[in-house]
Amino acid sequence: MKQEKRSTLFQHSPVDENLTVLTNTDEISSVPFVNAAGMKMKEVKFAVTPLMSTYTLFKINVVGRLRRWRIGLYRSYCRPNTSTRRQPIQLRVYTVKGASGQGSLALSVAKKRWSISRNILTLHTRWASVTWWLFLTSALGNGKLGSHHLPDDALLCDERTATSSAKKRIAYTVAHELAHQWFGNLVTMKWWNDIWLNEGFATFVGWLAIDHLFPEWDIWTGYITEVLSGALGLDGLRSSHPIDVPVRIGSEALEVLDAISYKKGSSIIRMLNNFLGGDVFMNGVRSYLKEFQYKNAVTADLWRHLALSSGLDIPTLMQAWTDKTGYPLIIVESEVYDDEAKTLTVTLSQSRFLSGGELKPEEDAVTWWVPLTVATHLTGKSSESRVFSAKNGIITFPYDAAENSFWKLNVNGSGVYRVKYGNTQVANISRTLQLSLDNFTAGDRMMFVADAYALTSAGLGDIKNVLDLIQGMSKETDFNVLTQISSTLATLKSITYKESALIRDGLKSLGKAVFSPLVKSLGFEFSVEEEYFTGQKRILAISVASGCGEEFVISELRSRFDKFIAGDLQALHPELRSTAMNLLSAMHRLTL
Ligand SMILES: [Zn+2]
């Protein structure tokens, strides 16, 4: 399939009269007829499409009646290139009959999302002047969204009862798929090796839009666990592959549609956006879209436009990020404080990070361009940016070695790399965390734990550093950070099961130190009025604290479980039942 071939397409379809036919453009006529077998049919014709890559064509026939939603009040106008006629954009959600009420959230997000993209990207796609069916769910029987199969809960929910995570999933799905109007439909990759231009951008812009729509969700902190960690995890494997990978035939394309295209692609876009600044970055993206609208592009085309907007040699800077496997580990070799100049000079080196350790010299040939961000007690949570693009080098920044001073790299996990600090520096960070968690962002705290654990797991770090950092976060209340701590403790427990009781008991004590106070403050009762994260923290804290052997939590769970099996269904909230059953059955097995 050649993505370079674009054409306008005209479709018509003879179908059973009871079928609804959907394709990329609006129906322009439907003429009933009886076929040779005596069946009642209809000939449905559709409007001609704009210039499009043929892989974006789709058509489905749907049995039965559908409930269609139209936005009558929403009027947003675009000016197609070939016409001065302005047309309103119509956004529609199709569901099976009776489920239309569950499409309201997807529709309202789509409406807001469209406005955001128009404002950010300024380009109106001609897709907007035709009907582009995006919202088709598997409930339709032949559920496709473009070429993606999606479960019902990716688009449909009852807004009155849906959890925040369910709403977040729907909002993100809509935001991501609408981003493809620009990244994929308006500008299409020349060949499948550049599929990351579609998926990396759709992922990044999807998160960007959700942040605009729902700032209360603190979406970028969640990005670290949901996207960046996935990218670092997969790309830390020796068996990973570059973002830009040769694809010989179209059928191989599915093999590169993995977390590297979506998550690493999105993460390097986020890194570049953070380094260049949103305005410079978006100016480059806008001019790229403008030059290649209704055409095909390659990665170098995007870099050329970002170079024009930034004045930097972006093609050279980004080459290793797309053409090479892996990402760097930044190692802090030493630091020297100048009391007179009030500066700190830090010696750094970089090498490829492999989660399995044992890096061979030939695997460490790449030198990445690394946009380093530095935060200190002087800068607070803001940061200074600088570039590190050598195997070894130094950076110098303003510093005052006063009491409670600190510094750190990769502020808020904005870069696609890990950092290895010296043991003294880790101890200082842990001490700073104990003084006030607020010295660092939630993203910083997550990356401290994630990096320290990854280094330990790779044989490059001391497990004591992981434990010290978690100890420093014993007053943690951010759900995303708690999730990171919980998963790290769980993994440490599983890999140290053969170690001495002293080590295993130490891990349990640490789990209790972080999560038991949360159980005490949050209790066991849920309220419909409480915020989503409150309930999620309660579930997590009870699960981890009881798993670490916290007596008061276990005894409360046992008491509620006994009442529950005696018939008092209110005694044990549904969210706690699996925790109670898993815990008590595990304890029962131990006593056999
Ligand atoms: Zn996508």
Side-chain angles (χ1 to χ4, degrees), residues 148 176-177 180 198-199 202 262:
H148 308 291
H176 177 107
E177 299 305 336
H180 280 311
N198 286 11
E199 299 306 342
Y262 285 81

Side-chain angles (χ1 to χ4, degrees), residues 3 12 26 41 59 130 135 159 190 315 324 443 455:
Q3 303 317 320
H12 64 100
D26 268 335
M41 306 285 285
K59 180 175 74 175
V130 299
F135 308 139
E159 283 195 76
K190 207 164 195 171
K324 303 294 180 186
L455 288 165

Side-chain angles (χ1 to χ4, degrees), residues 410-421:
N410 199 14
V411 178
N412 217 16
S414 60
V416 185
Y417 54 90
R418 296 197 185 279
V419 180
K420 182 185 179 190
Y421 300 104

Side-chain angles (χ1 to χ4, degrees), residues 88-361:
I89 295 169
Q90 290 187 90
L91 300 171
R92 286 165 257 191
V93 173
Y94 277 79
T95 72
V96 290
K97 193 175 181 184
S100 60
Q102 295 182 28
S104 58
L105 177 66
L107 196 59
S108 71
V109 170
K111 182 177 164 185
K112 293 174 191 162
R113 170 72 180 79
W114 196 279
S115 300
I116 288 171
S117 287
R118 284 176 55 248
N119 292 338
I120 294 175
L121 301 170
T122 65
L123 273 179
H124 301 303
T125 84
R126 211 186 315 168
W127 302 112
S129 68
V130 299
T131 308
W132 183 252
W133 308 112
L134 280 168
F135 308 139
L136 304 170
T137 84
S138 59
L140 297 180
N142 183 16
K144 287 187 176 182
L145 191 155
S147 60
H148 308 291
H149 291 265
L150 291 169
D152 285 358
D153 63 1
L155 287 171
L156 303 181
C157 75
D158 183 338
E159 283 195 76
R160 294 162 303 177
T161 56
T163 63
S164 290
S165 64
K167 290 178 182 173
K168 196 184 290 183
R169 178 171 154 78
I170 289 168
Y172 174 71
T173 301
V174 173
H176 177 107
E177 299 305 336
L178 274 181
H180 280 311
Q181 296 278 41
W182 286 266
F183 306 100
N185 299 344
L186 184 69
V187 178
T188 309
M189 72 278 173
K190 207 164 195 171
W191 182 240
W192 295 106
N193 62 306
D194 279 319
I195 187 72
W196 83 277
L197 285 173
N198 286 11
E199 299 306 342
F201 259 105
T203 302
F204 173 72
V205 175
W207 283 80
L208 196 66
I210 297 303
D211 185 46
H212 274 77
L213 292 175
F214 304 100
E216 69 276 16
W217 286 353
D218 187 21
I219 205 85
W220 288 116
T221 303
Y223 181 96
I224 291 173
T225 42
E226 292 182 39
V227 181
L228 180 63
S229 290
L232 295 176
L234 185 59
D235 209 28
L237 299 174
R238 186 169 267 117
S239 57
S240 184
H241 63 81
I243 283 177
D244 189 342
V245 64
V247 177
R248 290 170 303 153
I249 52 175
S251 58
E252 288 180 356
L254 282 179
E255 293 173 25
V256 296
L257 271 174
D258 59 8
I260 296 297
S261 291
Y262 285 81
K263 295 186 174 180
K264 188 181 179 187
S266 161
S267 296
I268 67 167
I269 290 167
R270 171 175 171 260
M271 177 170 71
L272 199 52
N273 175 67
N274 288 339
F275 180 72
L276 298 179
D279 289 344
V280 171
F281 181 80
M282 278 303 169
N283 281 340
V285 171
R286 274 190 285 268
S287 64
Y288 158 78
L289 289 174
K290 195 168 183 184
E291 178 177 343
F292 292 98
Q293 58 183 324
Y294 307 108
K295 296 179 191 160
N296 298 76
V298 297
T299 299
D301 296 322
L302 173 66
W303 295 157
R304 181 164 52 79
H305 279 272
L306 287 171
L308 284 171
S309 69
S310 67
L312 297 172
D313 184 8
I314 300 292
T316 302
L317 304 182
M318 294 305 290
Q319 189 258 341
W321 290 104
T322 52
D323 293 359
K324 303 294 180 186
T325 306
Y327 58 88
L329 169 66
I330 302 298
I331 303 165
V332 177
E333 304 284 359
S334 63
E335 57 183 271
V336 177
Y337 175 59
D338 185 332
D339 194 28
E340 273 188 28
K342 300 291 182 198
T343 57
L344 192 69
T345 298
V346 177
T347 302
L348 301 172
S349 66
Q350 66 163 291
S351 60
R352 180 180 167 192
F353 177 79
L354 273 184
S355 55
E358 297 181 359
L359 187 68
K360 298 169 191 159

